[in-house]
Amino acid sequence: LFDPMSDPKSHQLPFYKHVIAGGIAGTVEVLTLYPLDVVKTRFQLDNASSSNSIIKTFRDVIRNEGFFNLYRGIVSPILAEAPKRAVKFASNEQFKKLLANEKGQLTHETRIAAGAFAGMTEAFINCPFELVKVRMQARENLKLYKNTKDAALTILKTEGFFKLYSGLGALLWRNGVWNGTYFGTIGFIQEAIPLSIKKNELLTKFISGFIGGTLATIFNNPFDVVKSRVQNTLPGKERKYGMTLPSLVTIAKEEGLGALYKGFVPKVLRLGPGGGIMLVVFDY
């Protein structure tokens, strides 16, 4: 089964080139599709029965806040790319070694596990960047933080260092589920693609990454909703969401099961193509 981190081509590369390739791939994805992430976060933080469309939200942001607010908070995920990719690739290799059989081979299940554990390890690096990004994206925080640097310093000063790791539990679930599903399915998807399409390697990689990213997003969206709400709990506000699984139950009971999929459409529009872009840019 195909695994971009154990592909023969990728084995020829030294570790630092893995990190650079992954960082470039992630940065391209962020720069290309970030406005959808802003919309996703705003949908997730809305605990009312809002039916705003993506287009209407884009239009409202541009009209009321200015075009560049569609990129508000983008510095945080860009800064996170290199360190989180380094941790993901290094930990993925270690987990594959730990989970391989005596012949050094991985089963489908152990590939899923290695991907999930690598994603969860990455969460420890990414959590502070995620929290600052969510705070910057939230509509109610527009007057609270001037820019990403101001947001980070204000949070450290008023809430303390450990606040940067608020939402880590939900992020572990989110990353573990997404990476496990993504790396566990793209191999099967590539094998199922018709031979006429397989002749085009770039298209094959994009299609498999797109479908893998879409499936991964379907499974991890509820954990992302919890993460966003936990991370945007400001000082002095009611701490309604805490532990991940009880928070899922609270949201479902108060707002209905559909609330666990708030922000799904902009998220899948970003991470579906994003999964394809990641796979293509990583190899090319």
Side-chain angles (χ1 to χ4, degrees):
L1 290 179
F2 174 78
D3 177 353
M5 295 183 192
S6 62
D7 193 31
K9 277 198 299 183
S10 67
H11 266 313
Q12 298 167 8
L13 295 174
F15 175 72
Y16 79 91
K17 288 191 177 180
H18 279 298
V19 176
I20 292 171
I24 292 172
T27 301
V28 169
E29 187 265 331
V30 171
L31 291 172
T32 307
L33 302 167
Y34 186 79
L36 287 167
D37 194 64
V38 173
V39 174
K40 176 216 73 169
T41 299
R42 294 195 175 188
F43 283 4
Q44 290 178 338
L45 294 176
D46 182 7
N47 55 13
S49 299
S50 175
S51 58
N52 281 352
S53 69
I54 295 172
I55 300 299
K56 183 179 184 301
T57 303
F58 278 152
R59 192 167 58 239
D60 289 347
V61 170
I62 294 169
R63 181 190 299 130
N64 301 324
E65 305 169 30
F67 173 80
F68 290 106
N69 264 24
L70 290 173
Y71 290 87
R72 182 173 164 86
I74 195 173
V75 173
S76 189
I78 288 176
L79 289 176
E81 278 306 319
K84 80 177 188 179
R85 297 297 164 189
V87 169
K88 177 185 278 190
F89 292 139
S91 59
N92 186 71
E93 289 304 315
Q94 290 305 310
F95 284 124
K96 286 195 294 188
K97 289 176 184 176
L98 286 171
L99 296 170
N101 60 25
E102 59 275 7
K103 295 180 180 179
Q105 298 171 327
L106 290 166
T107 64
H108 178 58
E109 291 75 14
T110 51
R111 284 189 191 280
I112 293 175
F117 289 143
M120 293 171 79
T121 304
E122 175 194 8
F124 288 94
I125 298 297
N126 200 31
C127 193
F129 296 96
E130 278 285 317
L131 185 135
V132 172
K133 184 197 74 170
V134 167
R135 293 287 186 91
M136 285 290 291
Q137 291 175 333
R139 184 185 294 108
E140 59 268 34
N141 298 339
L142 290 177
K143 295 181 179 179
L144 194 58
Y145 311 115
K146 298 175 185 175
N147 50 47
T148 299
K149 179 182 177 182
D150 180 55
L153 292 176
T154 301
I155 293 165
L156 282 169
K157 183 178 179 180
T158 60
E159 302 176 62
F161 173 79
F162 291 106
K163 185 64 180 179
L164 293 173
Y165 281 88
S166 178
L168 176 62
L171 187 58
L172 288 168
W173 278 100
R174 188 196 77 166
N175 281 18
V177 169
W178 200 92
N179 284 277
T181 304
Y182 181 75
F183 290 113
T185 57
I186 53 178
F188 283 115
I189 296 164
Q190 284 209 333
E191 289 182 351
I193 289 175
L195 286 174
S196 58
I197 296 176
K198 282 184 181 178
K199 293 175 183 177
N200 187 326
E201 187 180 3
L202 188 149
L203 181 61
T204 299
K205 289 184 184 298
F206 181 80
I207 290 172
S208 58
F210 181 97
I211 297 173
T214 300
L215 290 172
T217 303
I218 290 171
F219 289 114
N220 92 330
N221 199 85
F223 303 108
D224 198 31
V225 173
V226 172
K227 180 202 71 70
S228 294
R229 295 194 180 188
V230 170
Q231 292 186 326
N232 198 46
T233 302
L234 300 174
K237 301 291 185 180
E238 178 190 2
R239 192 172 181 272
K240 194 172 185 179
Y241 310 105
M243 300 292 287
T244 305
L245 298 182
S247 294
L248 289 172
V249 174
T250 298
I251 294 168
K253 285 174 68 174
E254 293 185 353
E255 303 170 47
L257 285 172
L260 297 175
Y261 279 87
K262 284 189 173 184
F264 173 74
V265 174
K267 182 178 170 73
V268 81
L269 286 174
R270 182 175 71 89
L271 292 180
I277 291 170
M278 283 286 291
L279 215 53
V280 170
V281 177
F282 181 80
D283 275 356
Y284 290 89

